[in-house]
Amino acid sequence: MTTTSYREAMRQALREALIRDERVFLMGEDIGAYGGCFGVSRGLLDEFGPQRIRDTPLSESAFVGAGIGAALGGMRPVVEIMTVNFSLLALDQILNNAATLRHMSGGQLGVPLVIRMATGAGRQLAAQHSHSLEVFYAHIPGLRVLVPATVADARGMLWSALRDPDPVLIFEPIALYNDEAELPEDAGPVDIEHAAIRRSGTDVTVVSYGGALHTAETAAEQLAGEGISAEVIDLRTLRPLDEATVLASITRTHRLVIVDEGWRSMSVSAEIAARAAEYAYYDLDAPIERVCTAEAPIPYARQLEEAALPQPAAVVAAVHRAVD
């Protein structure tokens, strides 16, 4: 076992992919000599050279489109977009080309493209670099949407994504890059089909993903001290959504709290709540609770940013309302 940071786990995953498959190459803004805006690709240019670590101009639509073309041509491109906010500049390529070509070609054209980007808040990067917009992409058929919330998933999701014949988007929570955890020397691909139960419990189901998972886990630890047993579920994959794991947990606990770093309106939390109401209504003994980010652009000032984001105290309060 080795103590590894989330950032280093992502770098290890990229390096492994470049070694294992000569068709894999990286492409994005400042990913070469600069090492990526969050330092994930640092050192890879020296090891693999400019043919496989390609800096691009500041044109998200152009380099995502180039990635789609390379994937159609038999390569396995990994495209990095600095933050999710900037990915909107490439939304046409992602939605109208990457996600649709298999369907529009009657299954003849697949786009095995992986797009990585940072998401979420917590590092005082202000409104244009801090939002959680992964729900936009989870709305789109034809895409697989992953959000690694642990060091092990940061290490293992990329290779699983590269084996997918269709486009996969990986959202890396900005707040997690410096997190550290023990990682086995032989850590490899992980399951991207199913949600993970990060903590077993019997009194309430707490569903979360990405950066908000740690908020949910902190709250669950506090609740355990009060004698309340919370089951914490990490969704891991937002599309396709593993609703079976969530619904099975609700049948055991009969209460549901959702913690989502996205905005509450039209959010992942809204989708989970809707499916629980559709398929587990008679198993619920209390109204569904949601703890989400304030409905405002993420502020720069630390105290305002913290006030806008879901905090453990709010999750604890929501659980109290559900179980009391």
Side-chain angles (χ1 to χ4, degrees), residues 204 223 228 255-258 264 285-292 313-324:
V204 60
L223 289 162
I228 299 173
R255 292 168 178 83
L256 173 62
V257 173
I258 307 158
R264 187 172 187 270
D285 287 345
I288 298 166
E289 293 280 346
R290 290 194 278 162
V291 182
C292 305
V315 180
V316 169
V319 169
H320 283 165
R321 289 193 295 272
V323 302
D324 288 344

Side-chain angles (χ1 to χ4, degrees), residues 176-311:
L176 302 185
Y177 278 125
N178 292 331
D179 278 14
E180 293 184 337
E182 293 293 314
L183 196 64
E185 300 290 345
D186 60 349
V190 298
D191 180 7
I192 59 173
E193 299 292 334
H194 301 96
I197 297 176
R198 299 298 185 191
R199 183 188 183 106
S200 297
T202 56
D203 295 328
V204 60
T205 297
V206 180
V207 175
S208 192
Y209 72 94
L213 173 67
H214 299 277
T215 303
E217 291 179 317
T218 300
E221 186 65 27
Q222 182 177 331
L223 289 162
E226 303 174 19
I228 299 173
S229 175
E231 182 151 286
V232 179
I233 294 177
D234 174 7
L235 292 174
R236 305 173 88 198
T237 299
L238 301 185
R239 189 180 187 97
L241 194 63
D242 177 15
E243 66 180 25
T245 296
V246 175
L247 298 178
S249 180
I250 293 172
T251 62
R252 294 191 295 271
T253 68
H254 305 290
R255 292 168 178 83
L256 173 62
V257 173
I258 307 158
V259 186
D260 182 358
E261 196 174 314
W263 293 306
R264 187 172 187 270
S265 300
M266 317 300 172
S267 61
V268 172
S269 72
E271 181 66 26
I272 296 295
R275 297 199 190 194
E278 285 178 310
Y279 305 122
Y281 180 79
Y282 293 106
D283 288 309
L284 288 166
D285 287 345
I288 298 166
E289 293 280 346
R290 290 194 278 162
V291 182
C292 305
T293 288
E295 304 262 343
I298 298 294
Y300 170 78
R302 179 172 298 282
Q303 67 272 29
L304 293 178
E305 185 183 48
E306 290 176 354
L309 296 173
Q311 298 295 334

Side-chain angles (χ1 to χ4, degrees), residues 138-154:
H139 179 65
I140 301 170
L143 301 178
R144 181 183 291 273
V145 177
L146 310 179
V147 189
T150 67
V151 170
D153 278 359

Side-chain angles (χ1 to χ4, degrees), residues 85-96:
N85 298 70
F86 301 142
S87 74
L88 302 181
L89 297 166
L91 185 58
D92 175 58
Q93 291 289 358
I94 297 170
L95 170 56
N96 287 325

